[in-house]
Amino acid sequence: MDTFGRHVTYLRVSVTDRCDFRCVYCMSEHMTFLPKQDLLTLEELDRLCSAFVARGVRKLRLTGGEPLVRRDVMTLFRALSRHLETGRLEELTLTTNGSQLARYAADLAACGVKRVNVSVDTLDPDKFRTVTRWGDLGKVMEGIAAAKAAGIKIKLNAVALRDVNAGEIAGLMEWAHGEGHDLSLIEVMPLGEVGAERVDQYLPLSEVRAGLEARFTLIDSAHRTGGPARYVEVKETGGRLGFITPLTHNFCEGCNRVRVTCTGTLFMCLGQEDAADLRTPLRASPDDAVLQAAIDAAIVRKPKGHDFVIDRTTRIPAVSRHMSTTGG
């Protein structure tokens, strides 16, 4: 528990900062990635995640970069699945761009993964290639189909981008709901230099919702998945639509999440630079007592909220690190 009475029950862990896409709101086109020797080993990631489970984390999400490009990543999923079997962990899941999902869907299901988040910002193949720079929409669709066939529930994530997909959101929602998938919309966040103006990318979800309400009946829902999305039921489609609004209406008061990078750095808030080194205590002793003491000390420093701002007078990002480095 942090000093504001919030129980930290949700851990997002980046297993790699590398990705096979270069999405315009996430990365610059020519990224410099960490040397592989700087990353925690899969065994260290297992031990680190397990220490958080022992401290009360109930939901664990593996992220990246793109988690499925990490070599032998299924070894980590298989190891962590033991916490599902004991009941100490309620959910083991991941966020993915879907490019490798067709290859791994069956194995993920066998490890107890029941739900995945897949990032899809547009259904136009050419525009998809433009937004992701390197991505192939066809492969992502194959991955979504494979996950669905394996019995994995899909939630689609779409970043709302002005002058890019603003006119497609209604169609994307109708397609997602027609396939039985939930859809969450996300506002652009001021993380990292990406070679584009954030203010030009930024589309407030209050504006998106107003546009959707001109065509659809949106009914506020109490449904929660443990993350920051606030959901509505869409009467005409019968599906759920989530809004993740770090700028127009932040969700800090109920934040139950922390993030660990692939190097073992714990960020208590996505929008703050304060961090704790967990790699050193992890490697200092085979006994987890030192590691768990470091976790407890860090959680006490979890801030009340972030300071995200996007406007034309604020040119530099609120946080210098990229989302792919922070994880999820």
Side-chain angles (χ1 to χ4, degrees):
M1 183 187 294
D2 69 13
T3 55
F4 301 98
R6 298 171 298 192
H7 289 274
V8 177
T9 58
Y10 184 1
L11 175 66
R12 301 186 186 197
V13 180
S14 173
V15 299
T16 178
D17 65 329
R18 296 172 185 266
C19 188
D20 49 355
F21 290 2
R22 296 289 183 275
C23 295
V24 296
Y25 50 81
C26 182
M27 293 184 176
S28 63
E29 188 166 6
H30 305 289
M31 288 290 293
T32 300
F33 294 112
L34 294 165
K36 291 183 179 179
Q37 62 267 26
D38 288 358
L39 274 60
L40 296 182
T41 67
L42 294 176
E43 292 78 13
E44 287 174 329
L45 284 165
D46 176 18
R47 187 176 158 209
L48 184 61
C49 292
S50 298
F52 274 94
V53 171
R55 303 303 295 147
V57 160
R58 303 290 290 163
K59 179 176 178 179
L60 180 59
R61 179 179 298 276
L62 300 191
T63 69
E66 168 50 45
L68 296 182
V69 301
R70 174 84 190 245
R71 181 176 294 181
D72 297 326
V73 70
M74 290 310 305
T75 302
L76 179 59
F77 276 100
R78 282 190 285 271
L80 293 172
S81 68
R82 71 188 184 279
H83 298 304
L84 293 172
E85 294 169 3
T86 63
R88 301 189 75 176
L89 193 63
E90 291 176 2
E91 184 174 39
L92 174 61
T93 184
L94 74 152
T95 295
T96 175
N97 63 27
S99 66
Q100 309 295 319
L101 198 49
R103 176 182 176 188
Y104 290 113
D107 287 340
L108 289 167
C111 290
V113 174
K114 300 186 183 304
R115 187 169 65 92
V116 301
N117 288 5
V118 183
S119 300
V120 179
D121 300 315
T122 175
L123 297 178
D124 180 313
D126 293 333
K127 193 176 291 186
F128 186 88
R129 173 74 69 171
T130 299
V131 170
T132 63
R133 294 193 179 103
W134 297 2
D136 182 339
L137 181 62
K139 287 186 177 179
V140 173
M141 289 300 178
E142 289 175 11
I144 291 172
K148 185 177 179 180
I152 297 174
K153 180 73 174 174
I154 308 287
K155 181 169 80 70
L156 300 175
N157 288 336
V159 176
L161 299 165
R162 187 178 296 281
D163 299 327
V164 177
N165 63 358
E168 299 178 56
I169 289 174
L172 179 60
M173 179 187 74
E174 290 179 307
W175 173 81
H177 291 174
E179 292 292 315
H181 309 318
D182 290 348
L183 171 68
S184 284
L185 305 176
I186 307 172
E187 287 176 336
V188 165
M189 288 179 256
L191 294 167
E193 295 286 357
V194 296
E197 287 286 358
R198 293 288 184 188
V199 72
D200 294 332
Q201 296 177 333
Y202 177 55
L203 177 60
L205 289 188
S206 54
E207 185 179 319
V208 173
R209 178 165 180 162
L212 290 172
E213 286 180 323
R215 293 180 52 188
F216 301 94
T217 307
L218 307 184
I219 304 166
D220 288 333
S221 169
H223 177 74
R224 296 289 183 269
T225 61
R230 295 298 178 264
Y231 287 90
V232 297
E233 303 283 344
V234 183
K235 182 178 178 181
E236 289 78 5
T237 65
R240 272 194 295 259
L241 177 66
F243 295 92
I244 299 177
T245 54
L247 286 104
T248 56
H249 181 267
N250 78 53
F251 35 74
C252 302
E253 71 281 354
C255 182
N256 62 341
R257 299 167 297 286
V258 292
R259 292 168 170 82
V260 175
T261 73
C262 51
T263 61
T265 300
L266 171 64
F267 286 98
M268 290 73 78
C269 174
L270 179 62
Q272 301 284 358
E273 291 286 17
D274 187 30
D277 170 26
L278 297 183
R279 181 171 61 184
T280 299
L282 177 70
R283 293 177 174 175
S285 169
D287 188 320
D288 283 346
V290 177
L291 175 60
Q292 291 193 2
I295 292 171
D296 289 348
I299 298 303
V300 169
R301 294 176 8 225
K302 183 172 170 63
K304 189 172 184 179
H306 62 66
D307 298 315
F308 283 155
V309 174
I310 292 181
D311 60 37
R312 293 199 180 274
T313 63
T314 310
R315 296 293 183 180
I316 60 173
V319 173
S320 60
R321 68 185 185 276
H322 289 83
M323 186 65 146
S324 61
T325 300
T326 312

